[in-house]
């Protein structure tokens, strides 16, 4: 049986405290890329009761995504935006979800992220990561940016950290484990990095970082 | 003296673009902050390290 909106709000408040939950509920976070990082970040933020999530990805769910991304086998072939929102609505039904099924470029990024307080970079290609980081830092200095670099391979998960670059820019990961030179991607290590990004978001909203 | 990614370096007067080349960075994979301000890519070749600068170079690697 699905709990009511009031029951879920009370449960959030029981775990986070009423004051902090009010901050979580009024926050808007953009997740750019809905793969191993982004789908896990979105699930974590949805479970935390972040009021509005903006979810952006151009791609469809592929069978090779299922080992580390928050999709189900029956969703292969769906747009990631549609599949993820279906899953998030099952997890946390009373939040606001806005999706854009589009490839994020320098030209269109601003229109997707302009209403977000915090932007999560969750791409897989290094060049796309750098593009979005530079764009947010240059054009949206008022926004917080949480990015990721280095979570491929099967090295220790303890090497993954959150590094504060400025008061508004944080980078999670080990900084070096490149998909090009590391052996594969492992759900556990990618999820650790995604959890670092999501946790940085919660700490930003809580004013603790 | 400047500080690059937390390490002191005797590089005052060096151009950012020259340093990046020497250190092996590719500009399409990085973001650079000097004294907490982002340096636009278009300014890499005209930006010179000054004594006391704190420089952070974030190098992005693939995977996600």
């Amino acid at each position: 049986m699905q709990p009511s909106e009031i029951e879920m709000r009370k449960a959030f408040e029981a775990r986070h405290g009423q004051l902090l939950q009010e901050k979580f509920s009024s926050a808007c976070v953009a997740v750019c890329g809905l793969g191993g990082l982004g789908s896990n970040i979105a699930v974590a933020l949805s479970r935390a009761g972040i009021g509005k999530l903006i979810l952006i990805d151009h791609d469809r769910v592929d069978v090779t995504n299922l080992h580390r991304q928050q999709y189900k086998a029956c969703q292969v072939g769906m747009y990631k935006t549609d599949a993820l929102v279906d899953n998030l609505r099952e997890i946390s039904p009373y939040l606001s979800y806005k999706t854009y099924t589009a490839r994020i470029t320098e030209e269109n990024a601003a229109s997707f992220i302009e209403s977000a307080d915090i932007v999560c970079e969750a791409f897989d290609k290094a060049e796309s990561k750098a593009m979005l980081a530079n764009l947010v830092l240059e054009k949206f200095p008022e926004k917080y940016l949480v990015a990721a670099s280095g979570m491929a391979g099967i090295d220790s998960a303890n090497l993954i950290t959150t590094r504060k670059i400025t008061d508004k820019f944080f980078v999670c990961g080990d900084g070096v484990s490149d998909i090009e030179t590391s052996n594969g991607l492992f759900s556990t290590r990618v999820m650790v990095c995604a959890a670092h990004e999501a946790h940085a978001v919660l700490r930003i909203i809580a004013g603790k970082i | 003296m400047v500080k690059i990614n937390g390490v002191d370096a005797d590089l005052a007067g060096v151009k950012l673009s020259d340093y990046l080349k020497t250190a092996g960075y590719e500009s399409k994979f990085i973001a650079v902050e000097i004294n907490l301000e982002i340096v636009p890519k278009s300014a890499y070749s005209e930006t010179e390290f000054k004594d006391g600068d704190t420089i952070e170079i974030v190098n992005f690697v693939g995977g996600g």
Side-chain angles (χ1 to χ4, degrees):
Chain A
M1 193 185 74
Q2 184 164 305
S4 69
E5 185 168 6
I6 291 170
E7 285 175 304
M8 286 205 74
R9 192 175 69 229
K10 286 197 166 142
F12 283 136
E13 289 174 2
R15 286 292 172 268
H16 302 144
Q18 190 185 344
L19 278 179
L20 186 50
Q21 191 56 44
E22 279 170 12
K23 290 184 185 173
F24 287 175
S25 299
S26 57
C28 176
V29 180
V31 183
C32 300
L34 302 176
L37 290 171
S39 65
N40 281 298
I41 292 168
V43 166
L45 296 179
S46 174
R47 287 198 187 281
I50 297 301
K52 184 174 183 188
L53 294 178
I54 300 170
L55 308 165
I56 314 146
D57 199 298
H58 71 281
D59 214 355
R60 292 175 188 268
V61 179
D62 184 83
V63 67
T64 59
N65 302 150
L66 296 177
H67 78 112
R68 73 185 190 288
Q69 304 185 15
Q70 292 289 345
Y71 303 103
K72 301 179 238 178
C74 64
Q75 293 177 316
V76 168
M78 287 178 73
Y79 281 116
K80 289 184 175 180
T81 43
D82 296 336
L84 189 58
V85 155
D86 285 352
N87 298 344
L88 297 178
R89 287 210 170 103
E90 288 180 12
I91 291 168
S92 215
Y94 305 111
L95 307 178
S96 168
Y97 303 107
K98 173 76 186 163
T99 61
Y100 294 100
T101 304
R103 189 185 289 276
I104 300 177
T105 65
E106 260 177 297
E107 290 70 39
N108 67 17
S111 65
F112 302 143
I113 64 172
E114 61 190 352
S115 64
D117 310 305
I118 303 171
V119 177
C120 285
E121 177 281 308
F123 292 142
D124 54 359
K125 293 189 174 63
E127 197 168 349
S128 307
K129 289 168 173 290
M131 179 278 288
L132 186 68
N134 281 283
L135 184 137
V136 173
L137 295 166
E138 282 180 44
K139 303 230 171 97
F140 297 96
E142 77 286 1
K143 293 190 194 303
Y144 288 89
L145 172 64
V146 181
S149 177
M151 79 302 297
I154 200 165
D155 273 357
S156 171
N158 292 342
L159 299 172
I160 290 175
T161 63
T162 298
R163 192 168 143 232
K164 183 175 187 174
I165 310 298
T166 70
D167 283 346
K168 297 209 156 183
F169 179 27
F170 303 85
V171 181
C172 306
D174 67 15
V176 292
S177 296
D178 194 329
I179 184 69
E180 303 295 327
T181 50
S182 304
N183 282 326
L185 278 171
F186 295 84
S187 64
T188 38
R189 206 160 191 266
V190 176
M191 286 170 82
V192 168
C193 192
H196 267 264
E197 286 200 73
H199 194 60
V201 168
L202 300 189
R203 282 168 55 78
I204 288 166
I205 298 168
K208 297 283 188 195
I209 195 163
Chain B
M1 197 66 79
V2 302
K3 197 175 275 259
I4 301 184
N5 289 358
V7 178
D8 287 329
D10 192 11
L11 291 170
V14 170
K15 270 194 178 157
L16 171 59
S17 53
D18 292 339
Y19 173 76
L20 293 173
K21 206 174 291 172
T22 311
Y25 288 106
E26 272 199 63
S27 81
K28 65 181 176 179
F29 295 142
I30 61 173
V32 180
E33 301 251 2
I34 299 183
N35 303 329
L36 307 181
E37 294 283 335
I38 183 78
V39 182
K41 285 194 193 288
S42 55
Y44 282 7
S45 57
E46 67 210 38
T47 299
E48 207 172 273
F49 296 155
K50 294 187 298 296
D51 197 37
D53 277 350
T54 298
I55 300 130
E56 287 287 339
I57 301 167
V58 176
N59 185 50
F60 288 96
V61 298

